[in-house]
Amino acid sequence: QVQLVESGGGLVTAGGSLLLSCAASGRTFRSYAMGWFRQAPGKEREFVAAISWSGGSTKYADSVKGRFTISRDNAENTVTLQMNSLKPEDTAVYYCAADSRPWSMVVVTTLAEYDYWGQGTQVTVSS
């Protein structure tokens, strides 16, 4: 069982930056691929970024590629999402998620592949 708690959301003007963090409980965290998803009002939850258990492989949605960076610290049980050059369309609730298949060699991007979810943190980008 993994519990995930996101933090770092807030209000920022367009062009600004935010750093989201996800703190995970449990020793199994280091064996799980992790992902960030987001959900804007009236829209479906969508993939943002994911990272393999080792940190050696990452994937990004086209909409954030080159602006967002996902990373992890297995010693600290954390995964972060550095968001730069933010746009109003990045406004959403951001969720951290864990793919509980241990030591998976595949970084997945679909919601159904993730088993554990945090409660989300609000990111609002004003124009």
Side-chain angles (χ1 to χ4, degrees), residues 33 50-59 70-72 74 104-105 107:
I51 189 167
S52 62
W53 63 268
S54 66
S57 180
T58 58
K59 289 185 179 178
I70 188 171
S71 60
R72 67 187 298 159
N74 286 342
S104 173
M105 299 301 293
V107 177

Side-chain angles (χ1 to χ4, degrees), residues 39-121:
Q39 187 166 17
K43 295 188 177 181
E44 293 186 349
R45 194 170 299 188
E46 65 176 6
F47 169 75
V48 175
I51 189 167
S52 62
W53 63 268
S54 66
S57 180
T58 58
K59 289 185 179 178
Y60 296 93
D62 288 344
S63 59
V64 307
K65 205 170 291 183
R67 300 188 297 123
F68 291 10
T69 302
I70 188 171
S71 60
R72 67 187 298 159
D73 185 337
N74 286 342
E76 296 293 330
N77 274 22
T78 58
V79 60
T80 59
L81 185 69
Q82 177 67 50
M83 306 187 296
N84 299 328
S85 303
L86 283 161
K87 305 175 181 180
E89 51 264 44
D90 294 318
T91 294
V93 177
Y94 283 71
Y95 298 90
C96 173
D99 170 5
S100 66
R101 291 168 294 183
W103 317 115
S104 173
M105 299 301 293
V106 179
V107 177
V108 294
T109 63
T110 54
L111 273 71
E113 303 282 2
Y114 288 84
D115 310 284
Y116 300 107
W117 293 83
Q119 82 290 348
T121 186

